[in-house]
Amino acid sequence: MAEILAVGEAMERALALLEAGDVVAIPTETVYGLAGDATNGVAVARIFEAKGRPRFNPLIAHVADLAMANRIAEFDPLSTKLAGAFWPGPLTLVLPQRAENNMHPLVTAGLDTIALRMPRGFGGELIARLGRPLAAPSANSSGKISATTAQAVEADLGGKIKLVVDGGATPVGLESTIVKIEDGKLRLLRPGGIAAREIEAIAGAKIVRGAAGIQAPGMLASHYAPGASVRLNADRVAGDEALLAFGRDRAEGWRGAVAVRNLSEAGDLREAAANLFAYMQALDRSGAATIAVEPIPLDGLGEAINDRLARAAAPRDKID
């Protein structure tokens, strides 16, 4: 079992493990991350090993400040503007790498770009103390539901890592939004904790959606998946299914469901995002073979919620 330490007690222990090339599960505002020194090949390899993550799937490098970010990547004016508006916070920018930036090639999966984010709270403080960026994908087995509590991390990865830093439930509950400036266009690679319209308002430009190939984390067709199958846009529920509900109107047959969790009785998408992964895990533990999901609006954070649900529902043979 992994040791669980509260944020107020964990700094020195976490630093010692990272300095030794080990990994640590840490809280961020989005989800819990499995962190290792992004300049240390042994540490990065341990991240992939603990998660069972495909080597072609790149990682996000987390930085303490803009000075550290600028040593790693080249910022165009629009990326600089977005970083100024949303960092620290749940926005990841995919940028061209600088030569000799000391990042280990495993972090970028052979790409000439790198995904950078500046986290709030304990993560940012830890990176500043370490003095080097941390590679930190979500702290869960590859393709499975992301962890939003220390207890969820320990239940999944506790036999493979030494330390989980407990910062309580993560406030955003979804991974970061990932964007890339490409040919002068703002491209959304993964919807997440910042709605596209918020980014468009700062950028003064429309976001283009979609990209070819794996250019950033979270782009696999099947991802964030529970053990149960997932059925979307359900208007009725079978007696052997669990129900992931939203709002006040229920799908037909909901009273006979194996278990029910409502992402937000009030229909609040921010509350729904914060609850998504924890409620999916709870329903997965109910023993139901299928989780039926009521329709969720696509506007605002609903885009990211529906993205995660679609990947959870995708055929498992699409995990490369």
Side-chain angles (χ1 to χ4, degrees), residues 48 53-60 106-109 111 137 214-218:
F48 281 96
R53 186 183 179 96
R55 294 295 200 275
F56 62 76
N57 198 3
L59 306 176
I60 294 172
L106 274 177
V107 174
T108 59
L111 299 172
I214 305 299
Q215 299 188 34

Side-chain angles (χ1 to χ4, degrees), residues 136-196:
S138 55
N140 54 276
S141 297
S142 187
K144 301 301 182 183
I145 301 172
S146 299
T148 56
T149 65
Q151 291 69 33
V153 177
E154 204 287 325
D156 185 0
L157 298 180
K160 299 178 180 179
I161 63 177
K162 297 175 182 175
L163 176 65
V164 180
V165 180
D166 189 354
T170 59
V172 176
L174 287 173
E175 295 83 359
S176 61
T177 303
I178 303 180
V179 299
K180 179 183 182 182
I181 311 302
E182 188 174 50
D183 299 326
K185 295 180 179 179
L186 183 60
R187 186 171 295 277
L188 180 68
L189 300 184
R190 181 182 73 182
I194 297 175

Side-chain angles (χ1 to χ4, degrees), residues 23-26 28 31-36 44 47-48 51 53 57-62 134-140 146 157 175 190 217 223:
V23 297
V24 177
I26 63 172
T28 77
V31 298
Y32 276 72
L34 185 60
V44 178
I47 293 173
F48 281 96
K51 284 179 63 71
R53 186 183 179 96
N57 198 3
L59 306 176
I60 294 172
H62 294 71
L134 289 177
S138 55
N140 54 276
S146 299
L157 298 180
E175 295 83 359
R190 181 182 73 182
H223 205 41

